[in-house]
Amino acid sequence: MAIFSVYVVNKAGGLIYQLDSYAPRAEAEKTFSYPLDLLLKLHDERVLVAFGQRDGIRVCHAVLAINGMDVNGRYTADGKEVLEYLGNPANYPVSIRFGRPRLTSNEKLMLASMFHSLFAIGSQLSPEQGSSGIEMLETDTFKLHCYQTLTGMHLHGGQRSVMEKVGKRY
């Protein structure tokens, strides 16, 4: 099993270290003629597919590139708004690359603090005294493991401890 991300969270739930070690695999590129047969919408400063799955393009995939030029959120590399550009029939045919968007820094902070909250609630709700809380969340596509450092005294020591444990597991 591969390790996709490592998050180190302090006792207060703050993210102190994060590492991504994957490249999104689910990307699809297709050339379209006007009108576009997908419904795109702006959500969290990204242009996402809202309706119209086909050819490997899925709902919630983001527009990653137009005609080979990367898209940064809602803007093309040359500063044009993506939805405005795709709404103009003069710009067709157009090649669009779709894929899963990368998490923003803010989304990573929210993810870490939410997981810490779930961990704390799980520890407190356990009928067993001294419960270790959530050790693993498992879905049909991934497993999320939660490890605690032995000491928690030193920030750098804690980081190494967590990364070593994750690395030795697989």
Side-chain angles (χ1 to χ4, degrees), residues 10-11 13 15 17 22 27 55 62 74 82 119 122 145 163:
N10 63 20
K11 284 187 174 191
L15 181 64
Y17 179 79
Y22 75 98
E27 291 187 357
D55 302 321
R74 65 191 292 177
V82 171
F119 171 82
H145 295 268
M163 289 191 296

Side-chain angles (χ1 to χ4, degrees), residues 40-98:
L40 302 177
K41 69 176 182 177
L42 188 63
H43 181 71
D44 288 338
E45 293 300 310
R46 296 183 184 128
V47 178
L48 303 177
V49 176
F51 183 79
Q53 296 191 148
R54 62 180 275 212
D55 302 321
I57 301 166
R58 304 279 180 244
V59 170
C60 291
H61 273 184
V63 174
L64 301 177
I66 296 176
N67 293 331
M69 295 177 59
D70 286 343
V71 167
N72 301 315
R74 65 191 292 177
Y75 298 100
T76 62
D78 55 357
K80 298 175 185 167
E81 282 207 28
V82 171
L83 291 176
E84 187 176 307
Y85 182 86
L86 295 175
N88 185 350
N91 294 325
Y92 286 81
V94 65
S95 175
I96 307 173
R97 183 169 35 110
F98 295 91

Side-chain angles (χ1 to χ4, degrees), residues 148-153 161 165:
Q148 294 184 53
T149 60
L150 297 176
T151 63
M153 291 297 205
S161 175
K165 286 182 180 182

